[in-house]
Amino acid sequence: MELEATTIDIGTTRPLVLLNTADADELGVHPLDRVRIWWNGETTTGIVKRTDELVDAGTVGVTEPLHYVSGPVEVKHAGTPRSVRYVRKKLDDLELEAHELECIVEDIHENRLSDVELSAYVSAIYTNGLSLEETKHLTEAMSGVGQQLTWDAPVVADKHSIGGVAGNCVTPVMVAIVTEAGLTMPKTSSRAVTSPAGTADVMEVLCDVEFSIEEIQSIVAETNGCLVWGGGVDLSPVDDEIIRAENPLSIDPDGQLMASVLSKKRSAGSTHVVIDVPYGEGAKVESIVAARELSDDFKRVGDHLGMDVTCAITHGADPIGHGIGPALEARDVLEVLEGSGPESLRLKSLRLSELLLEHCGVDASATEILDSGRALERFRRIVDAQGGDPTIQSTDVEPGDESVTIRADRGGIASRVDSRQISDLARRAGAPLDRGAGVVIHQSAGDAVDPGDRLFTIRAETTSKLEEAAELADELEPIRVRSKADALIERR
Amino acid sequence: MELEATTIDIGTTRPLVLLNTADADELGVHPLDRVRIWWNGETTTGIVKRTDELVDAGTVGVTEPLHYVSGPVEVKHAGTPRSVRYVRKKLDDLELEAHELECIVEDIHENRLSDVELSAYVSAIYTNGLSLEETKHLTEAMSGVGQQLTWDAPVVADKHSIGGVAGNCVTPVMVAIVTEAGLTMPKTSSRAVTSPAGTADVMEVLCDVEFSIEEIQSIVAETNGCLVWGGGVDLSPVDDEIIRAENPLSIDPDGQLMASVLSKKRSAGSTHVVIDVPYGEGAKVESIVAARELSDDFKRVGDHLGMDVTCAITHGADPIGHGIGPALEARDVLEVLEGSGPESLRLKSLRLSELLLEHCGVDASATEILDSGRALERFRRIVDAQGGDPTIQSTDVEPGDESVTIRADRGGIASRVDSRQISDLARRAGAPLDRGAGVVIHQSAGDAVDPGDRLFTIRAETTSKLEEAAELADELEPIRVRSKADALIERR
């Protein structure tokens, strides 16, 4: 069918083609069908959207990614992308071959799948799982798209946490210790997606985190490491698309998780990686058995890619550190580097650093590097190289001015500190965009609590957000206190 | 957050809320999150779309379904609809309760689910299945939304085919026979979605099919029956949404199929229903065992709803009738009513009519009603009541002028007539929009074929579409001819 192309802005990254209902009927195409477009000797494919209002018959509207199409065009009904057949195959619980997974990754990368198809992929992977072979192939396919970093060092150290634990900002401390021990650790981190603070958000309180690849290389040449935002270097563009479908459903299938993490590590040029696998009530992995299985699989997929992967199974039921939110976590990090700070953050950072050093074959004492102040000095050099204050100390970090402290209305034992609820509170208070917003936790699970003792403090930058968070705190029970005499947890 | 609402047209039926990236970050909302909007003492919910181009900071764009929102509004991050939790539960392969399925149906009906969520629902139902209990609850929930028809007659006859067979236009013949036998059969049918012709498309060649409920009631009062388009009376609005997600994935999960079919029958006021379950290679159901299971479940769900359901397991591997496409099928129907026509269509129509008459407790001979010409007269009365020509005969129906006939290039046995490929050809030739377009099949499976014998004829209304279909015919093998001596079907 001959039509006239016109550009239309509807705020989408998908190559949508808007057809008047009459033209769509004539072509025999339905919503989400594909059409092939020819113009000026060129050709491309788009996803159909039918409309009576936005385009008249005889005209075809092309959205943002297709704005280069113009003038008279020829439009024909096209088949669905091949990868949709493979998504369907996975829905049927059949094993996918390497080339089929590559095809899916390529079509996601090229934005060729509609939301319905992308969601079916994620749902199929979630319900039917990925075999170890499939996970290996998917990881390879995913690391084949996007930027690749390369380093001269024979050993490039890295770490990753599968998440789900509030606080848990061990990465800056680890990078300081490990680079001070002589290893190269060019750490790329994420910003918060659904949490109150990613490592990149925490570091941004102290220095810049967005750099070009060349800038990162010069920072690493100078300090052995960096703590930058990974999104700035586009290491795993496919991952972002997949997360877009996973988030609304709150699912994070194991095979996809491994492929996303390890493909990113491979693209980052890492050779030795420690994966932190927190487990426990409310964490992503709920049992030690599941944590062990996941860890073993992580190692196997790493092997396949030629990366040395080791896993640390850690306590995931409780938050790590006192502060939750960018500035509050930055303060915890600096305190630990200064030799004080929350014990949970200090110990976890030390254990993971020791593991990573040993894994890389380096004979150095993480505790000695931390306690001697050398880690602090190294951290300040990195902050300096990233445009921050080279004399930074914990007391320079300023949390939000507005605050309210919630106290215990009865005595007993703090039986549970709920990472999810603490995170929700911190976000409601404004984190991560309001850097100073968040929650300070005053009790750990197992602590004895007297009536009137402080449980937690909400920090915010504006009164209205503080009020909103305080309102939410009334509905939740982020720190549960139960009577010492009571063995009963809950009666239903 | 206080914002100014502005209406935006992006050709959507979804309640999207366009936020500038800065405002979205400030609110902490991601794409596909929900926001709650308050204005003028009213409140509603929308799905977030982030954009830098379409709206400036301080402004919120509302799409078509929310165009009633205007002026200064208060916008807050809202939770996901409750039904998303239940979709997630089904992804986890857990049994859904009645109120959970009701909640999903209600949210789909109110357009509250994003494409990602709707697709996850369909994918979950497909991979994890629905139990019989779940199917019953889903059917009840689905028949609870949309219009309801009621009839004075104590017995209201109905039929449905689960589809997948080309041609198969038995419904008009059945309605003529069954209403002539004294039963009430107010038949609502669909238009083609992915096939070359639905019963409504075929009937539209002969008369009108879009009527209001009042008009349908008066047609039925006059003739005992009707053959109208069901979409005109909105019997199952939720079904259309679900099909929107099923089609791109080419999936049609059993439980959802039963719920869709039977909820529509219940809304149509039917009391006695025959379900045609074609099975065989290429049909929706591939084995007799699966066909029996599905049939038994159809009856059980019918029982639960207080409907008398019976099933006919039929041959689904080959097309029924000679013509595929609206006019060609209408001609077959009239020929059968006139006492000639394709034997496959005549026999299937008779057998299903007998079954329906018996099922309704009516002692009448379908063959006698057909062979006496009474069915033809009854059919003409219905066509008349629906605004068509009361003297209509098969020779009045005119297929498309353009045609090409494909002939056998070798002798042997027609070993397979592929419904799917025949349908693809008919659509490429212009069906269903070009009423005269389609395919005429000259050989049935098992027929002896000499070299040069006609296999099939493509009919079209324009030369260009005829050429397109002929081109596709070259790539396909809709009628497979194999040597009589060759026991081998294919070597790979």
Side-chain angles (χ1 to χ4, degrees), chain A residues 9-11 25-26 28 30 49 54 84 88 91-92 116 119-120 123 126-128 193 245 248 250-251 427 433 465, chain B residues 9-11 25-26 28 30 49 54 84 88 91-92 116 119-120 123 126-128 193 245 248-251 427 433 465:
Chain A
D9 291 301
I10 63 166
D25 280 341
E26 177 72 24
H30 302 100
K49 202 176 160 93
L54 298 192
V84 174
R88 166 69 193 272
L91 280 173
D92 284 327
V116 164
S119 170
S123 300
Y126 179 75
T127 54
N128 293 330
V193 178
S250 308
I251 60 177
R427 284 182 68 93
L433 208 72
K465 294 220 171 150
Chain B
D9 291 300
I10 63 167
D25 280 341
E26 177 72 23
H30 302 98
K49 203 175 160 94
L54 298 193
V84 173
R88 166 70 193 272
L91 281 172
D92 285 328
V116 164
S119 170
S123 300
Y126 179 75
T127 53
N128 293 331
V193 179
L249 305 168
S250 308
I251 58 176
R427 284 183 68 93
L433 208 71
K465 294 220 168 150

Short mmCIF file of all heavy atoms in Angstrom, two decimals, chain A residues 9-11 25-26 28 30 49 54 84 88 91-92 116 119-120 123 126-128 193 245 248 250-251 427 433 465, chain B residues 9-11 25-26 28 30 49 54 84 88 91-92 116 119-120 123 126-128 193 245 248-251 427 433 465:
data_model
loop_
_atom_site.label_atom_id
_atom_site.label_comp_id
_atom_site.label_asym_id
_atom_site.label_seq_id
_atom_site.Cartn_x
_atom_site.Cartn_y
_atom_site.Cartn_z
N ASP A 9 5.18 12.49 17.46
CA ASP A 9 5.84 12.31 18.76
C ASP A 9 4.85 11.77 19.76
O ASP A 9 3.87 12.44 20.08
CB ASP A 9 6.34 13.67 19.28
CG ASP A 9 7.49 14.18 18.44
OD1 ASP A 9 8.50 13.48 18.36
OD2 ASP A 9 7.36 15.28 17.87
N ILE A 10 5.08 10.56 20.22
CA ILE A 10 4.23 10.08 21.32
C ILE A 10 5.07 9.61 22.48
O ILE A 10 4.62 8.87 23.33
CB ILE A 10 3.25 8.98 20.86
CG1 ILE A 10 4.01 7.74 20.38
CG2 ILE A 10 2.32 9.47 19.78
CD1 ILE A 10 3.10 6.52 20.25
N GLY A 11 6.35 10.05 22.50
CA GLY A 11 7.19 9.76 23.66
C GLY A 11 7.52 8.30 23.81
O GLY A 11 7.44 7.75 24.90
N ASP A 25 -7.18 -2.01 8.19
CA ASP A 25 -8.09 -3.07 7.76
C ASP A 25 -7.74 -3.52 6.35
O ASP A 25 -7.72 -4.71 6.05
CB ASP A 25 -9.54 -2.57 7.79
CG ASP A 25 -10.10 -2.61 9.21
OD1 ASP A 25 -9.52 -3.32 10.05
OD2 ASP A 25 -11.10 -1.93 9.47
N GLU A 26 -7.48 -2.54 5.50
CA GLU A 26 -7.14 -2.84 4.10
C GLU A 26 -5.88 -3.71 4.04
O GLU A 26 -5.77 -4.64 3.27
CB GLU A 26 -6.94 -1.51 3.36
CG GLU A 26 -6.53 -1.62 1.91
CD GLU A 26 -7.65 -2.09 1.00
OE1 GLU A 26 -8.83 -1.92 1.38
OE2 GLU A 26 -7.33 -2.65 -0.08
N GLY A 28 -4.96 -5.57 6.41
CA GLY A 28 -5.22 -6.78 7.20
C GLY A 28 -4.29 -6.89 8.41
O GLY A 28 -3.91 -7.98 8.81
N HIS A 30 -3.32 -6.04 12.52
CA HIS A 30 -3.88 -5.80 13.84
C HIS A 30 -2.88 -5.07 14.70
O HIS A 30 -1.70 -5.03 14.37
CB HIS A 30 -4.25 -7.13 14.49
CG HIS A 30 -5.21 -7.91 13.67
ND1 HIS A 30 -4.80 -8.95 12.87
CD2 HIS A 30 -6.53 -7.79 13.48
CE1 HIS A 30 -5.85 -9.43 12.24
NE2 HIS A 30 -6.91 -8.75 12.59
N LYS A 49 0.17 0.37 15.26
CA LYS A 49 -0.77 0.95 16.21
C LYS A 49 -1.89 1.51 15.35
O LYS A 49 -1.64 2.23 14.40
CB LYS A 49 -0.04 2.07 16.96
CG LYS A 49 -0.61 2.45 18.30
CD LYS A 49 0.29 3.50 18.95
CE LYS A 49 -0.48 4.24 20.01
NZ LYS A 49 -0.30 3.63 21.33
N LEU A 54 -5.18 10.17 15.09
CA LEU A 54 -3.85 10.77 14.87
C LEU A 54 -3.41 10.83 13.41
O LEU A 54 -2.64 11.70 13.04
CB LEU A 54 -2.80 10.05 15.70
CG LEU A 54 -3.00 10.12 17.21
CD1 LEU A 54 -1.77 9.65 17.94
CD2 LEU A 54 -3.34 11.53 17.65
N VAL A 84 10.02 -14.17 18.33
CA VAL A 84 8.73 -14.43 18.98
C VAL A 84 8.43 -15.93 18.97
O VAL A 84 7.85 -16.46 19.91
CB VAL A 84 7.60 -13.63 18.29
CG1 VAL A 84 6.24 -14.00 18.86
CG2 VAL A 84 7.84 -12.14 18.45
N ARG A 88 7.76 -18.21 22.27
CA ARG A 88 6.67 -19.17 22.32
C ARG A 88 7.20 -20.57 22.69
O ARG A 88 6.60 -21.31 23.47
CB ARG A 88 5.97 -19.18 20.96
CG ARG A 88 5.04 -20.31 20.68
CD ARG A 88 3.79 -20.24 21.53
NE ARG A 88 3.10 -21.50 21.42
CZ ARG A 88 2.21 -21.79 20.48
NH1 ARG A 88 1.84 -20.87 19.62
NH2 ARG A 88 1.65 -22.98 20.42
N LEU A 91 7.75 -20.64 26.29
CA LEU A 91 6.46 -20.75 26.97
C LEU A 91 6.01 -22.21 26.98
O LEU A 91 5.35 -22.66 27.90
CB LEU A 91 5.39 -19.90 26.27
CG LEU A 91 5.36 -18.39 26.54
CD1 LEU A 91 4.35 -17.71 25.64
CD2 LEU A 91 5.03 -18.09 27.99
N ASP A 92 6.39 -22.95 25.93
CA ASP A 92 6.06 -24.38 25.85
C ASP A 92 7.06 -25.22 26.63
O ASP A 92 7.04 -26.45 26.53
CB ASP A 92 6.03 -24.83 24.38
CG ASP A 92 4.76 -24.38 23.67
OD1 ASP A 92 3.73 -24.30 24.35
OD2 ASP A 92 4.82 -24.09 22.46
N VAL A 116 4.07 -6.75 24.91
CA VAL A 116 3.42 -8.05 25.10
C VAL A 116 4.44 -9.17 24.90
O VAL A 116 4.53 -10.11 25.69
CB VAL A 116 2.22 -8.22 24.14
CG1 VAL A 116 1.80 -9.68 24.05
CG2 VAL A 116 1.06 -7.35 24.58
N SER A 119 7.28 -9.12 27.66
CA SER A 119 6.75 -9.63 28.92
C SER A 119 6.58 -11.14 28.86
O SER A 119 6.84 -11.84 29.85
CB SER A 119 5.41 -8.95 29.22
OG SER A 119 4.76 -9.57 30.29
N ALA A 120 6.17 -11.66 27.71
CA ALA A 120 6.02 -13.12 27.57
C ALA A 120 7.38 -13.79 27.71
O ALA A 120 7.50 -14.87 28.30
CB ALA A 120 5.39 -13.47 26.22
N SER A 123 8.20 -13.69 31.42
CA SER A 123 7.31 -14.60 32.14
C SER A 123 7.68 -16.05 31.88
O SER A 123 7.65 -16.89 32.78
CB SER A 123 5.85 -14.38 31.68
OG SER A 123 5.45 -13.05 31.95
N TYR A 126 10.72 -16.95 33.71
CA TYR A 126 10.42 -17.04 35.14
C TYR A 126 9.73 -18.35 35.48
O TYR A 126 10.14 -19.04 36.41
CB TYR A 126 9.57 -15.85 35.56
CG TYR A 126 9.18 -15.88 37.03
CD1 TYR A 126 10.11 -15.55 38.00
CD2 TYR A 126 7.91 -16.24 37.44
CE1 TYR A 126 9.78 -15.57 39.35
CE2 TYR A 126 7.56 -16.27 38.78
CZ TYR A 126 8.50 -15.94 39.72
OH TYR A 126 8.18 -15.99 41.05
N THR A 127 8.69 -18.70 34.73
CA THR A 127 7.93 -19.90 35.10
C THR A 127 8.65 -21.18 34.69
O THR A 127 8.64 -22.15 35.42
CB THR A 127 6.52 -19.93 34.48
OG1 THR A 127 6.64 -19.75 33.07
CG2 THR A 127 5.65 -18.84 35.03
N ASN A 128 9.27 -21.20 33.51
CA ASN A 128 9.86 -22.45 33.04
C ASN A 128 11.36 -22.54 33.29
O ASN A 128 11.96 -23.59 33.09
CB ASN A 128 9.54 -22.66 31.56
CG ASN A 128 8.05 -22.89 31.35
OD1 ASN A 128 7.38 -23.43 32.23
ND2 ASN A 128 7.53 -22.49 30.22
N VAL A 193 17.07 1.57 41.15
CA VAL A 193 15.89 1.43 40.30
C VAL A 193 14.67 1.39 41.21
O VAL A 193 13.83 2.27 41.18
CB VAL A 193 15.96 0.16 39.42
CG1 VAL A 193 14.69 0.03 38.58
CG2 VAL A 193 17.17 0.22 38.52
N ALA A 245 10.53 -4.84 31.91
CA ALA A 245 9.39 -5.77 31.99
C ALA A 245 9.37 -6.52 33.32
O ALA A 245 8.32 -6.91 33.80
CB ALA A 245 9.45 -6.77 30.83
N PRO A 248 7.62 -4.21 36.78
CA PRO A 248 6.19 -4.13 37.10
C PRO A 248 5.67 -5.44 37.67
O PRO A 248 4.71 -5.46 38.42
CB PRO A 248 5.52 -3.86 35.75
CG PRO A 248 6.60 -3.33 34.86
CD PRO A 248 7.88 -3.92 35.36
N SER A 250 7.61 -7.50 39.48
CA SER A 250 8.45 -7.86 40.63
C SER A 250 9.01 -9.27 40.50
O SER A 250 8.93 -10.06 41.44
CB SER A 250 7.68 -7.77 41.96
OG SER A 250 7.07 -6.54 42.08
N ILE A 251 9.53 -9.61 39.33
CA ILE A 251 10.17 -10.91 39.17
C ILE A 251 11.61 -10.72 38.71
O ILE A 251 11.94 -9.71 38.09
CB ILE A 251 9.42 -11.84 38.19
CG1 ILE A 251 9.33 -11.22 36.79
CG2 ILE A 251 8.04 -12.19 38.71
CD1 ILE A 251 8.65 -12.13 35.78
N ARG A 427 12.49 5.81 50.46
CA ARG A 427 12.05 6.34 49.16
C ARG A 427 10.93 7.37 49.35
O ARG A 427 10.93 8.41 48.71
CB ARG A 427 11.58 5.22 48.24
CG ARG A 427 12.72 4.42 47.65
CD ARG A 427 12.23 3.35 46.70
NE ARG A 427 11.67 3.92 45.49
CZ ARG A 427 12.34 4.13 44.36
NH1 ARG A 427 13.63 3.83 44.31
NH2 ARG A 427 11.74 4.64 43.32
N LEU A 433 16.52 10.66 44.94
CA LEU A 433 16.71 11.95 44.28
C LEU A 433 17.10 13.03 45.30
O LEU A 433 17.98 13.85 45.04
CB LEU A 433 15.44 12.36 43.53
CG LEU A 433 15.71 13.24 42.34
CD1 LEU A 433 16.36 12.45 41.22
CD2 LEU A 433 14.45 13.92 41.88
N LYS A 465 7.75 15.93 52.47
CA LYS A 465 8.18 14.54 52.28
C LYS A 465 8.37 13.85 53.63
O LYS A 465 8.13 12.65 53.77
CB LYS A 465 9.47 14.48 51.47
CG LYS A 465 9.24 14.97 50.05
CD LYS A 465 9.97 14.16 49.02
CE LYS A 465 9.48 14.59 47.65
NZ LYS A 465 10.46 14.46 46.62
N ASP B 9 -3.15 13.48 22.66
CA ASP B 9 -3.65 12.37 21.84
C ASP B 9 -2.50 11.52 21.38
O ASP B 9 -1.65 11.98 20.62
CB ASP B 9 -4.39 12.90 20.61
CG ASP B 9 -5.69 13.58 20.98
OD1 ASP B 9 -6.53 12.90 21.56
OD2 ASP B 9 -5.83 14.78 20.70
N ILE B 10 -2.44 10.28 21.83
CA ILE B 10 -1.42 9.40 21.27
C ILE B 10 -2.07 8.10 20.77
O ILE B 10 -1.40 7.10 20.57
CB ILE B 10 -0.28 9.09 22.26
CG1 ILE B 10 -0.79 8.34 23.47
CG2 ILE B 10 0.45 10.35 22.69
CD1 ILE B 10 0.34 7.76 24.31
N GLY B 11 -3.36 8.15 20.56
CA GLY B 11 -4.05 7.01 19.95
C GLY B 11 -4.05 5.78 20.83
O GLY B 11 -3.78 4.68 20.39
N ASP B 25 11.19 11.66 38.12
CA ASP B 25 12.26 11.35 39.07
C ASP B 25 11.91 11.88 40.46
O ASP B 25 12.11 11.21 41.46
CB ASP B 25 13.58 11.98 38.61
CG ASP B 25 14.24 11.15 37.52
OD1 ASP B 25 13.89 9.97 37.39
OD2 ASP B 25 15.10 11.69 36.79
N GLU B 26 11.39 13.08 40.48
CA GLU B 26 11.01 13.71 41.74
C GLU B 26 9.95 12.88 42.46
O GLU B 26 10.01 12.68 43.68
CB GLU B 26 10.49 15.12 41.43
CG GLU B 26 9.97 15.91 42.62
CD GLU B 26 11.08 16.40 43.54
OE1 GLU B 26 12.22 16.50 43.07
OE2 GLU B 26 10.79 16.63 44.74
N GLY B 28 9.65 9.76 41.96
CA GLY B 28 10.20 8.41 42.14
C GLY B 28 9.41 7.36 41.38
O GLY B 28 9.29 6.22 41.81
N HIS B 30 8.61 5.07 37.84
CA HIS B 30 9.21 4.50 36.65
C HIS B 30 8.13 4.26 35.59
O HIS B 30 6.96 4.27 35.91
CB HIS B 30 9.88 3.17 37.01
CG HIS B 30 10.92 3.32 38.05
ND1 HIS B 30 10.68 3.05 39.38
CD2 HIS B 30 12.19 3.78 37.99
CE1 HIS B 30 11.77 3.31 40.08
NE2 HIS B 30 12.70 3.76 39.27
N LYS B 49 4.09 7.20 31.84
CA LYS B 49 4.96 7.20 30.67
C LYS B 49 5.86 8.40 30.89
O LYS B 49 5.39 9.49 31.16
CB LYS B 49 4.07 7.38 29.43
CG LYS B 49 4.65 6.89 28.13
CD LYS B 49 3.59 7.03 27.03
CE LYS B 49 4.27 7.02 25.70
NZ LYS B 49 4.32 5.68 25.11
N LEU B 54 7.25 15.52 25.12
CA LEU B 54 5.82 15.82 25.00
C LEU B 54 5.26 16.73 26.08
O LEU B 54 4.31 17.45 25.84
CB LEU B 54 5.01 14.52 24.94
CG LEU B 54 5.32 13.63 23.74
CD1 LEU B 54 4.26 12.56 23.62
CD2 LEU B 54 5.38 14.44 22.46
N VAL B 84 -2.19 -7.43 39.86
CA VAL B 84 -0.83 -7.76 39.45
C VAL B 84 -0.22 -8.78 40.42
O VAL B 84 0.53 -9.67 40.03
CB VAL B 84 0.05 -6.50 39.34
CG1 VAL B 84 1.50 -6.85 39.07
CG2 VAL B 84 -0.48 -5.58 38.26
N ARG B 88 1.17 -12.48 39.37
CA ARG B 88 2.43 -12.98 39.89
C ARG B 88 2.23 -14.34 40.57
O ARG B 88 3.04 -15.27 40.42
CB ARG B 88 2.98 -11.93 40.86
CG ARG B 88 4.10 -12.38 41.74
CD ARG B 88 5.39 -12.59 40.95
NE ARG B 88 6.32 -13.31 41.79
CZ ARG B 88 7.16 -12.73 42.63
NH1 ARG B 88 7.23 -11.42 42.69
NH2 ARG B 88 7.96 -13.44 43.38
N LEU B 91 1.98 -16.88 37.97
CA LEU B 91 3.33 -17.14 37.43
C LEU B 91 4.07 -18.11 38.35
O LEU B 91 4.90 -18.91 37.91
CB LEU B 91 4.13 -15.84 37.31
CG LEU B 91 3.86 -14.92 36.11
CD1 LEU B 91 4.61 -13.61 36.27
CD2 LEU B 91 4.27 -15.59 34.79
N ASP B 92 3.76 -18.03 39.65
CA ASP B 92 4.37 -18.95 40.62
C ASP B 92 3.63 -20.29 40.67
O ASP B 92 3.89 -21.10 41.56
CB ASP B 92 4.38 -18.31 42.02
CG ASP B 92 5.45 -17.24 42.14
OD1 ASP B 92 6.51 -17.39 41.50
OD2 ASP B 92 5.25 -16.26 42.87
N VAL B 116 2.57 -5.14 29.58
CA VAL B 116 3.49 -6.08 30.24
C VAL B 116 2.71 -6.97 31.21
O VAL B 116 2.90 -8.19 31.25
CB VAL B 116 4.61 -5.31 30.98
CG1 VAL B 116 5.33 -6.22 31.98
CG2 VAL B 116 5.60 -4.73 29.98
N SER B 119 0.16 -9.35 29.33
CA SER B 119 0.88 -10.44 28.68
C SER B 119 1.36 -11.46 29.71
O SER B 119 1.33 -12.67 29.45
CB SER B 119 2.07 -9.87 27.90
OG SER B 119 2.90 -10.90 27.46
N ALA B 120 1.77 -10.99 30.87
CA ALA B 120 2.21 -11.92 31.92
C ALA B 120 1.04 -12.78 32.37
O ALA B 120 1.20 -13.97 32.65
CB ALA B 120 2.79 -11.15 33.11
N SER B 123 0.50 -15.33 29.57
CA SER B 123 1.63 -16.27 29.57
C SER B 123 1.54 -17.23 30.76
O SER B 123 1.82 -18.42 30.62
CB SER B 123 2.96 -15.51 29.65
OG SER B 123 3.10 -14.64 28.55
N TYR B 126 -1.10 -19.72 30.20
CA TYR B 126 -0.67 -20.67 29.17
C TYR B 126 0.32 -21.69 29.72
O TYR B 126 0.15 -22.89 29.51
CB TYR B 126 -0.05 -19.90 28.00
CG TYR B 126 0.45 -20.80 26.89
CD1 TYR B 126 -0.45 -21.41 26.02
CD2 TYR B 126 1.80 -21.06 26.73
CE1 TYR B 126 -0.01 -22.25 25.00
CE2 TYR B 126 2.25 -21.89 25.72
CZ TYR B 126 1.35 -22.49 24.87
OH TYR B 126 1.78 -23.32 23.88
N THR B 127 1.32 -21.24 30.44
CA THR B 127 2.35 -22.19 30.89
C THR B 127 1.90 -22.99 32.10
O THR B 127 2.18 -24.17 32.18
CB THR B 127 3.69 -21.51 31.25
OG1 THR B 127 3.43 -20.48 32.18
CG2 THR B 127 4.34 -20.91 30.04
N ASN B 128 1.20 -22.36 33.02
CA ASN B 128 0.85 -23.08 34.25
C ASN B 128 -0.57 -23.62 34.24
O ASN B 128 -0.94 -24.39 35.13
CB ASN B 128 1.08 -22.19 35.47
CG ASN B 128 2.56 -21.91 35.68
OD1 ASN B 128 3.40 -22.74 35.31
ND2 ASN B 128 2.89 -20.77 36.22
N VAL B 193 -10.59 -12.55 13.04
CA VAL B 193 -9.47 -11.85 13.67
C VAL B 193 -8.20 -12.23 12.91
O VAL B 193 -7.57 -11.40 12.27
CB VAL B 193 -9.35 -12.19 15.17
CG1 VAL B 193 -8.16 -11.47 15.78
CG2 VAL B 193 -10.62 -11.80 15.90
N ALA B 245 -3.57 -9.73 23.61
CA ALA B 245 -2.27 -10.22 24.07
C ALA B 245 -1.99 -11.63 23.56
O ALA B 245 -0.83 -12.00 23.36
CB ALA B 245 -2.22 -10.19 25.60
N PRO B 248 -0.47 -11.86 19.31
CA PRO B 248 0.93 -11.73 18.90
C PRO B 248 1.75 -12.95 19.28
O PRO B 248 2.77 -13.24 18.66
CB PRO B 248 1.41 -10.50 19.68
CG PRO B 248 0.18 -9.77 20.09
CD PRO B 248 -0.90 -10.78 20.20
N LEU B 249 1.32 -13.67 20.32
CA LEU B 249 2.08 -14.83 20.79
C LEU B 249 1.55 -16.13 20.18
O LEU B 249 2.14 -17.19 20.39
CB LEU B 249 2.03 -14.92 22.31
CG LEU B 249 2.47 -13.65 23.06
CD1 LEU B 249 2.10 -13.73 24.53
CD2 LEU B 249 3.97 -13.45 22.90
N SER B 250 0.44 -16.03 19.44
CA SER B 250 -0.23 -17.22 18.89
C SER B 250 -0.48 -18.27 19.96
O SER B 250 -0.17 -19.44 19.79
CB SER B 250 0.60 -17.87 17.77
OG SER B 250 0.95 -16.94 16.80
N ILE B 251 -1.01 -17.84 21.10
CA ILE B 251 -1.37 -18.82 22.14
C ILE B 251 -2.85 -18.67 22.47
O ILE B 251 -3.43 -17.61 22.30
CB ILE B 251 -0.53 -18.69 23.42
CG1 ILE B 251 -0.67 -17.30 24.04
CG2 ILE B 251 0.94 -19.00 23.14
CD1 ILE B 251 0.07 -17.14 25.35
N ARG B 427 -6.29 -14.67 2.91
CA ARG B 427 -6.07 -13.35 3.49
C ARG B 427 -5.20 -12.49 2.58
O ARG B 427 -5.45 -11.30 2.40
CB ARG B 427 -5.44 -13.46 4.87
CG ARG B 427 -6.44 -13.88 5.95
CD ARG B 427 -5.79 -13.92 7.32
NE ARG B 427 -5.43 -12.60 7.78
CZ ARG B 427 -6.22 -11.83 8.56
NH1 ARG B 427 -7.41 -12.27 8.92
NH2 ARG B 427 -5.82 -10.64 8.95
N LEU B 433 -11.65 -8.35 4.19
CA LEU B 433 -12.16 -7.02 3.84
C LEU B 433 -12.69 -7.00 2.41
O LEU B 433 -13.74 -6.42 2.15
CB LEU B 433 -11.06 -5.99 4.04
CG LEU B 433 -11.60 -4.60 4.37
CD1 LEU B 433 -12.17 -4.57 5.78
CD2 LEU B 433 -10.53 -3.56 4.17
N LYS B 465 -3.62 -7.68 -5.65
CA LYS B 465 -3.76 -8.65 -4.56
C LYS B 465 -3.71 -10.07 -5.10
O LYS B 465 -3.22 -10.98 -4.42
CB LYS B 465 -5.07 -8.42 -3.81
CG LYS B 465 -5.06 -7.07 -3.10
CD LYS B 465 -5.68 -7.14 -1.74
CE LYS B 465 -5.35 -5.83 -1.02
NZ LYS B 465 -6.37 -5.45 -0.06
#
